[in-house]
Amino acid sequence: MYTVIGLEVHAQLKTDTKLFCGCSADYFQKAPNSQVCPVCLGMPGALPVLNQKAVEYTMRVGFALNCTIPDRCKFDRKNYFYPDLPKGYQISQFDEPLCVDGYLDCEVDGEVHRVRINRVHLEEDAGKLIHAANGTSQVDLNRACVPLIEIVTEPDIKSPEQAAAFMKALRQLLRYLEICDGDLEKGSLRCDANISLHPEPDKLGTKTEVKNINSFKAVEDAIKFEQARHRKILESGQEIVQQTLGWDADKGIAVPQRAKEASDDYRYFPDPDLLPVHVSEDWRDEVRGQMPATPAQWRERFSKDYELPDYDIGVLTEEKETAVYFDQVTEKFNKPKEVSNWMMGEIMRLLKDHDEIKVSASDFADFLQVIDEGQINRNTGKEVIEAAFETGKTPLAIIEEQGLKQISNTDELAQVIDQLLADNADQVERYRSGKTGLMGWFVGQVMAKTQGKANPKAVNELLEDRLNA
Ligand code: ADP
Ligand code: ZN
Ligand code: MG
């Protein structure tokens, strides 16, 4: 049996205002129904005005996904009834979406897999129902009319792992483009998975659609669940019922929600309150000109400018903040591989317990300089960075405060060593008569007298110099 998967992804745009009115689009943790107006409440006669920024953000996605952006797109009404949709229709794009025919490459186990994009369109979100413990439900319309893009893939995905990899690559892209925060748990990025199985490759069987997928793990788990269910039904000679299911992550099962409706049921028609949008070449150029670099462009530059291994580049560019930080550190301390090692090791480890890098790029560069000069050793350095994350102090301040700098100053060390040799003439005699194993003892003594701060290499050199004189 061959599996075929297509994803429909909804991403919330980070615009200041909603798609068709001036209300704030930031509804997170706001008092219910505090960010609403006649337009997003769906009052009769209130007229929508299209948010230009939302269109431009969608165009960014289109460009980054290698789509065509036709000269014209329009908005349509998708009619259905649900209490979170006061107008009785959602404004969406039906047959003339803003972006069409693109692709996104994503990597699974070192292999690049291309997923074609059917379309990217712009639409409004619905409100939210709050189900109270007493069995009643309340409606919060703060989210109503918040801009969403829907990204629809062609059925090019062949496995649950590929689906998760696609979602990860897409989330990364949207975050790099600075148009969506990509938070699956908060619902700013949502994914519906369509899946079918067929005995022959590249053929489409009857599909089911799983909704309510809100983590990368859920993407894989939900598809695996449906894959197994389809296989069992098909292998027993029965037929798949085309339907929509909801993923229950706690129970690990997909629960049937409703029979799949056809698009006819929505009675789509062009919204008479909104004019079609004409996209000129000048406008396209302007938006292209404002595009932040994509993850692929960052990776390419890291490879060219820093000659880092692919593995390092993958880790460093996973989040844009880290990639920017790397750039800044390297600008001041120009040993890319050294910076990469510290970031992939210590910084990434510390980021598991901290929500951001607590040391400024400039302070981190100064710290790496001190390490590079051998003024403190690596292990001490790790403790310093950890302390810097805990306390918010700069690494150099901590090194200073705790007197951690190694003594590499040969004058200072020479003094300690000369005193040591003078105090232990008998040991010196024994060393010179052949007990060279005593070297370790001398080194230990110097370390003890300097509270472990002496640079071991300098100590060894000086001792050899004196003892073999
Ligand atoms: P619908 O009309 O049910 O919305 P679409 O043709 O619009 O279906 O496709 C919705 C999504 O389902 C797309 O991502 C598409 O790639 C995917 N898809 C379509 N047919 C199949 C199939 N037979 N098996 C798996 N995925 C499919
Ligand atoms: Zn409003
Ligand atoms: Mg469809």
Side-chain angles (χ1 to χ4, degrees):
M1 289 279 180
Y2 295 89
T3 302
V4 172
I5 300 155
L7 299 178
E8 293 165 289
V9 183
H10 286 93
Q12 225 162 57
L13 299 181
K14 283 200 299 190
T15 49
D16 293 335
T17 54
K18 294 185 179 181
L19 186 52
F20 299 116
C21 64
C23 295
S24 166
D26 180 14
Y27 61 86
F28 190 62
Q29 289 183 332
K30 297 281 158 50
N33 300 307
S34 63
Q35 328 250 13
V36 291
C37 73
V39 173
C40 52
L41 287 174
M43 299 286 180
L47 290 173
V49 178
L50 178 60
N51 181 337
Q52 182 176 341
K53 199 90 210 170
V55 177
E56 293 178 351
Y57 280 5
T58 312
M59 287 164 74
R60 278 192 199 176
V61 178
F63 289 130
L65 290 175
N66 312 288
C67 290
T68 302
I69 299 183
D71 295 338
R72 181 190 126 115
C73 71
K74 70 171 170 66
F75 288 90
D76 302 280
R77 293 187 179 179
K78 178 180 182 179
N79 299 281
Y80 67 91
F81 172 76
Y82 203 65
D84 64 9
L85 187 76
K87 292 200 295 291
Y89 59 86
Q90 176 195 29
I91 305 178
S92 180
Q93 299 193 288
F94 183 52
D95 53 350
E96 291 185 68
L98 186 51
C99 319
V100 297
D101 296 336
Y103 60 84
L104 176 63
D105 288 331
C106 45
E107 219 180 284
V108 187
D109 297 329
E111 239 177 83
V112 176
H113 181 72
R114 178 160 293 186
V115 178
R116 286 171 303 152
I117 305 294
N118 172 285
R119 62 193 280 154
V120 182
H121 75 242
L122 186 53
E123 64 187 28
E124 59 179 346
D125 209 342
K128 255 185 183 168
L129 293 187
I130 303 163
H131 302 289
N134 67 3
T136 65
S137 293
Q138 299 168 318
V139 188
D140 175 9
L141 293 172
N142 285 347
R143 200 180 68 179
C145 200
V146 163
L148 284 183
I149 50 172
E150 179 171 341
I151 301 160
V152 182
T153 78
E154 295 293 343
D156 286 351
I157 301 167
K158 311 276 185 248
S159 70
E161 293 76 18
Q162 276 184 9
F166 174 86
M167 277 303 284
K168 283 182 189 158
L170 183 62
R171 173 179 185 273
Q172 186 189 40
L173 180 66
L174 298 177
R175 283 171 60 83
Y176 266 76
L177 294 176
E178 292 167 11
I179 58 116
C180 171
D181 69 20
D183 193 328
L184 279 98
E185 262 135 64
K186 269 198 336 214
S188 31
L189 188 62
R190 303 167 226 159
C191 149
D192 304 334
N194 297 269
I195 168 172
S196 69
L197 270 64
H198 201 281
E200 294 163 59
D202 301 320
K203 291 227 167 135
L204 299 175
T206 304
K207 74 174 160 85
T208 56
E209 177 175 356
V210 190
K211 291 188 176 285
N212 190 31
I213 295 176
N214 56 11
S215 70
F216 291 121
K217 184 172 180 299
V219 174
E220 269 192 67
D221 290 351
I223 294 173
K224 276 186 186 149
F225 178 89
E226 275 301 271
Q227 201 178 26
R229 194 177 68 84
H230 281 225
R231 183 173 287 128
K232 206 166 147 199
I233 292 171
L234 293 171
E235 281 175 355
S236 73
Q238 291 169 283
E239 282 183 6
I240 300 292
V241 179
Q242 179 164 343
Q243 61 182 337
T244 302
L245 306 96
W247 179 244
D248 182 332
D250 293 332
K251 298 203 181 100
I253 54 169
V255 186
Q257 283 183 337
R258 58 182 153 138
K260 174 72 186 170
E261 59 289 300
S263 68
D264 292 5
D265 299 336
Y266 291 119
R267 294 292 185 269
Y268 279 101
F269 66 87
D271 193 313
D273 292 339
L274 289 158
L275 291 167
V277 178
H278 291 273
V279 183
S280 67
E281 198 51 52
D282 284 351
W283 193 15
R284 284 193 199 94
D285 288 345
E286 192 187 318
V287 173
R288 255 196 227 105
Q290 299 162 348
M291 289 249 307
T294 63
Q297 288 167 332
W298 276 82
R299 287 193 292 265
E300 197 184 312
R301 186 169 60 75
F302 271 27
S303 166
K304 264 218 315 260
D305 290 3
Y306 301 130
E307 296 174 350
L308 291 171
D310 285 349
Y311 178 79
D312 293 43
I313 293 173
V315 176
L316 294 170
T317 59
E318 192 162 320
E319 292 285 348
K320 188 169 179 169
E321 288 78 11
T322 352
V324 169
Y325 188 82
F326 179 85
D327 260 345
Q328 292 170 343
V329 176
T330 312
E331 196 175 324
K332 193 165 180 190
F333 176 74
N334 192 12
K335 293 193 177 173
K337 183 58 185 155
E338 191 65 17
V339 178
S340 171
N341 288 346
W342 275 92
M343 284 189 64
M344 293 199 305
E346 285 314 287
I347 299 282
M348 293 299 172
R349 190 176 64 76
L350 288 166
L351 277 179
K352 290 190 182 125
D353 296 321
H354 299 267
D355 52 5
E356 58 177 11
I357 303 178
K358 302 281 185 187
V359 178
S360 78
S362 168
D363 290 340
F364 192 60
D366 292 343
F367 161 80
L368 292 179
Q369 187 65 40
V370 166
I371 300 255
D372 198 52
E373 286 165 1
Q375 298 192 55
I376 67 171
N377 69 35
R378 269 153 212 287
N379 285 333
T380 311
K382 287 180 186 173
E383 287 164 25
V384 169
I385 285 299
E386 189 163 341
F389 267 68
E390 301 293 342
T391 62
K393 292 179 184 165
T394 71
L396 291 199
I398 292 167
I399 291 170
E400 206 58 48
E401 240 174 57
Q402 303 189 7
L404 296 174
K405 269 195 192 161
Q406 289 181 353
I407 307 171
S408 329
N409 178 324
T410 33
D411 288 347
E412 202 176 326
L413 282 180
Q415 251 181 15
V416 176
I417 287 170
D418 289 341
Q419 189 62 48
L420 176 74
L421 300 189
D423 292 347
N424 296 280
D426 48 339
Q427 299 288 57
V428 175
E429 203 46 51
R430 287 172 67 198
Y431 178 91
R432 290 196 172 130
S433 61
K435 282 212 75 171
T436 51
L438 276 171
M439 183 54 111
W441 181 84
F442 284 112
V443 174
Q445 289 297 306
V446 178
M447 284 304 182
K449 286 192 194 303
T450 57
Q451 285 89 41
K453 281 185 263 166
N455 179 324
K457 195 163 155 260
V459 172
N460 271 296
E461 280 171 10
L462 279 169
L463 275 172
E464 297 220 346
D465 186 56
R466 297 288 196 281
L467 290 168
N468 300 326

